[in-house]
Amino acid sequence: MKLVTYSYDGTESAGVLSLDGKHVCPAKALGYGCENMNEWIDLLAKEGLSRLLAAVEAGCEERIPLEQVTLLAPIPRPRQDMICLGINYMAHAEESARYKNEAFGGERPYAVYFSKRVGEAVRPEGRIDGHFDMVERLDYEAELAVVIGKDARGVSEEEAADYILGYTIVNDVSARVLQTRHKQWYFGKSLDGFTPMGPWIVTADEFSFPPKLSIQSRVNGQLRQDSNTELLIFGIPHIIRELSRGITLKAGTLIATGTPAGVGMGFTPPRFLKSGDTVECSIEGIGTLKNTVG
């Protein structure tokens, strides 16, 4: 199933795509008393997906043609900062070290975690604010994001799949100069408009676990990143186990699992984004997230 947040007649709502992908079924029409995706995830955490799946298979009576709605980021305003994995593909670790003129030893004994502020996620087809008055080297990063489906604390790797609602696509837009100047990544990755997300959350039952999915990005139609999520250095079971040992991962938590090689800084010379560029991030089984730099 594909869970969506959409705007229709000036109202923002949560819903699910019909099985034929042509209509949106509002969550309220399916019997869920929720105002937004955060509230809906709370409800789904309590009862699971079986009732929702049955309702979607039966066909909802209130249906809105997909072309009549505007898709928003599936979780437009996350309750907490997004948790992100840094340099979590080996080839990206190599290009990152090369860009910074650092020696690369080929080892990653521990995962690199950081957080990203998301005041409001950018919708599919929405605008990436380049902040070119302060940003010199604007970069893109296609990433598979995990959506936690229920509160997770002390979860083993074997149990990890049971705590995942689904997956979406995130473009971890990054200001490289700010990222390096401040000796940490928070500011350079958290500017307003730096988190395109979508086009929907695909529920975890649609994939094997852990998912092994093609992941790509294109800039103005040119292929830049081309990899597979099976190449994550630290996989999703490890991430959930390690984080949940000391942090309660609340329902709705977003975890961006890292980006593969092929980002702008990895080329010689670098290929950073400019105003008017179109960035497409695609993941097998989920779809394509397309945005334009403003």
Side-chain angles (χ1 to χ4, degrees):
M1 292 180 290
K2 295 180 173 69
L3 309 183
V4 299
T5 296
Y6 64 95
S7 176
Y8 179 68
D9 280 347
T11 300
E12 178 182 314
S13 305
V16 60
L17 284 191
S18 59
L19 295 181
D20 63 8
K22 296 180 180 180
H23 298 84
V24 172
C25 303
K28 288 187 176 180
L30 296 170
Y32 294 91
C34 56
E35 298 295 330
N36 53 57
M37 185 62 75
N38 286 322
E39 293 183 5
W40 200 15
I41 291 173
D42 288 342
L43 293 175
L44 294 174
K46 296 177 181 178
E47 62 177 53
L49 293 173
S50 57
R51 179 167 76 89
L52 174 60
L53 178 59
V56 173
E57 290 178 339
C60 59
E61 295 183 0
E62 181 182 341
R63 302 191 304 169
I64 308 169
L66 182 60
E67 63 267 19
Q68 293 183 16
V69 309
T70 298
L71 288 180
L72 306 178
I75 307 180
R77 291 164 292 278
R79 287 170 171 164
Q80 298 176 318
D81 286 359
M82 183 185 300
I83 300 172
C84 302
L85 274 288
I87 46 179
N88 199 29
Y89 288 80
M90 194 62 70
H92 177 57
E94 294 173 4
E95 70 178 0
S96 178
R98 184 172 63 249
Y99 173 75
K100 293 181 286 187
N101 293 317
E102 296 177 351
F104 177 66
E107 296 182 358
R108 285 290 166 209
Y110 300 104
V112 175
Y113 298 108
F114 64 95
S115 60
K116 181 180 178 88
R117 175 62 56 91
V118 187
E120 183 164 354
V122 180
R123 67 176 179 85
E125 303 290 343
R127 170 179 171 269
I128 297 170
D129 186 346
H131 293 273
F132 290 115
D133 59 332
M134 62 184 295
V135 172
E136 300 172 31
R137 299 177 181 180
L138 186 70
D139 216 342
Y140 54 89
E141 296 188 2
E143 306 202 15
L144 174 69
V146 177
V147 183
I148 297 297
K150 57 184 179 181
D151 291 2
R153 179 65 193 270
V155 175
S156 68
E157 292 194 14
E158 292 74 21
E159 298 169 321
D162 297 333
Y163 288 81
I164 298 173
L165 172 64
Y167 305 93
T168 189
I169 304 170
V170 164
N171 183 353
D172 179 19
V173 179
S174 305
R176 297 302 185 194
V177 173
L178 294 181
Q179 183 180 345
T180 55
R181 175 186 296 162
H182 293 278
K183 307 302 179 184
Q184 48 74 42
W185 300 346
Y186 188 76
F187 186 35
K189 288 175 171 282
S190 296
L191 302 186
D192 292 346
F194 268 27
T195 311
M197 182 195 304
W200 33 60
I201 298 168
V202 181
T203 53
D205 58 295
E206 299 286 335
F207 305 96
S208 59
F209 186 80
K212 299 177 181 180
L213 308 172
S214 170
I215 178 170
Q216 299 178 324
S217 70
R218 288 176 169 81
V219 177
N220 301 326
Q222 180 188 59
L223 182 65
R224 295 286 183 88
Q225 295 176 282
D226 188 10
S227 188
N228 194 289
T229 60
E230 69 175 323
L231 297 178
L232 290 169
I233 298 173
F234 299 98
I236 294 168
H238 173 94
I239 293 166
I240 292 176
R241 178 194 63 79
E242 186 165 66
L243 288 174
S244 71
R245 288 186 66 188
I247 301 173
T248 299
L249 302 175
K250 304 293 288 184
T253 295
L254 284 155
I255 303 174
T257 56
T259 199
V263 299
M265 71 176 182
F267 290 90
T268 304
R271 300 177 183 177
F272 293 116
L273 298 172
K274 60 185 184 301
S275 182
D277 282 348
T278 297
V279 185
E280 296 172 276
C281 300
S282 302
I283 297 180
E284 178 185 0
I286 300 178
T288 296
L289 172 66
K290 182 178 179 180
N291 300 94
T292 300
V293 180

